[in-house]
Amino acid sequence: MLSRTFDDPTNVVQVIADGRTLSAESLRHGDGLSTPLHITDHFSSLGMEISDGALTIRDLAVIIGSAYPISVMDCSTQEELPGWTMADLVEYFENPERIRYSQRLEKSMRKYSNFKNITSSSCHDENNNSDIDEDDEDISDTDLPRVLNQISLEFSNTPMIQHVLSPKFVRDIDLIDNAWPKHRKRKDENDYPRVQYYCLTSTAGCY
């Protein structure tokens, strides 16, 4: 994939320089959400709020609760693993073997000039590559630890909701907030779609 060429992204992605121009009204009178949006403005221009600073898996567990049940998938089999909690996810993410694999995977990928050209401007400073050993062997399938993916942590009814607010134009067109019967959205009821606020946590190699 790194050696492939792709279409001009301006043909498939709509770039928005001023987030304030995005509104429910502008979407109704325009093309709607027919193409993906790339917002280059600060997220606050969208009326969006997120937690300050870097948010780790351990931070999530503290906020949501370590015993909170989650859905985890084994990427090699695409099967869901039953019985997982936030505490289990923290233990998995902080496992030294998984971290070492992630670091080796990154070094292996950065050997390829195409990958380095793509990422150098946004992810890495070229002057900080002295720690990369170009003689490292590429990672084989036998080196791969169990790769898991947590893809469906909906946190609308958890304390995490106090740290995040979706863009205003999203809230303005949200059918769950604007059309779903209020009496069916009580916290003790499951009679409404739980698809408003998702936290996705993916590990190296999960693709």
Side-chain angles (χ1 to χ4, degrees), residues 118-191:
I118 293 172
T119 59
S120 60
S121 62
S122 58
C123 298
H124 300 283
D125 185 340
E126 291 288 348
N127 296 325
N128 292 332
N129 289 336
S130 58
D131 61 331
I132 298 177
D133 183 359
E134 297 296 338
D135 294 328
D136 281 350
E137 294 182 1
D138 288 340
I139 297 176
S140 67
D141 291 341
T142 58
D143 299 318
L144 185 67
R146 195 179 197 185
V147 178
L148 306 180
N149 207 358
Q150 188 284 113
I151 58 174
S152 56
L153 174 55
E154 216 285 352
F155 59 85
S156 296
N157 284 336
T158 76
M160 185 63 195
I161 196 62
Q162 303 300 322
H163 300 262
V164 179
L165 183 66
S166 59
K168 185 179 186 303
F169 80 91
V170 173
R171 285 176 274 133
D172 288 343
I173 62 176
D174 190 336
L175 292 177
I176 299 176
D177 278 341
N178 297 301
W180 203 263
K182 299 297 183 183
H183 69 277
R184 295 171 64 178
K185 276 199 63 181
R186 296 194 304 268
K187 287 188 176 182
D188 58 344
E189 297 286 346
N190 291 313
D191 193 17

Side-chain angles (χ1 to χ4, degrees), residues 65-126:
S66 60
Y68 193 84
I70 58 174
S71 298
V72 174
M73 182 181 67
D74 187 321
C75 293
S76 63
T77 63
Q78 297 295 296
E79 294 180 350
E80 186 173 329
L81 306 180
W84 273 63
T85 65
M86 284 300 302
D88 297 321
L89 193 65
V90 171
E91 182 178 357
Y92 168 74
F93 262 82
E94 296 182 353
N95 182 288
E97 180 183 350
R98 192 204 66 79
I99 294 174
R100 283 194 298 271
Y101 166 74
S102 298
Q103 293 169 342
R104 291 184 59 200
L105 179 63
E106 180 182 7
K107 287 184 179 181
S108 179
M109 293 184 70
R110 287 172 63 189
K111 287 181 182 181
Y112 300 95
S113 59
N114 285 342
F115 181 80
K116 184 177 291 185
N117 289 337
I118 293 172
T119 59
S120 60
S121 62
S122 58
C123 298
H124 300 283
D125 185 340
E126 291 288 348

Side-chain angles (χ1 to χ4, degrees), residues 47-60:
M48 182 178 178
E49 298 177 9
I50 59 176
S51 179
D52 293 333
L55 194 65
T56 68
I57 299 297
R58 183 170 289 276
D59 293 334
L60 286 173

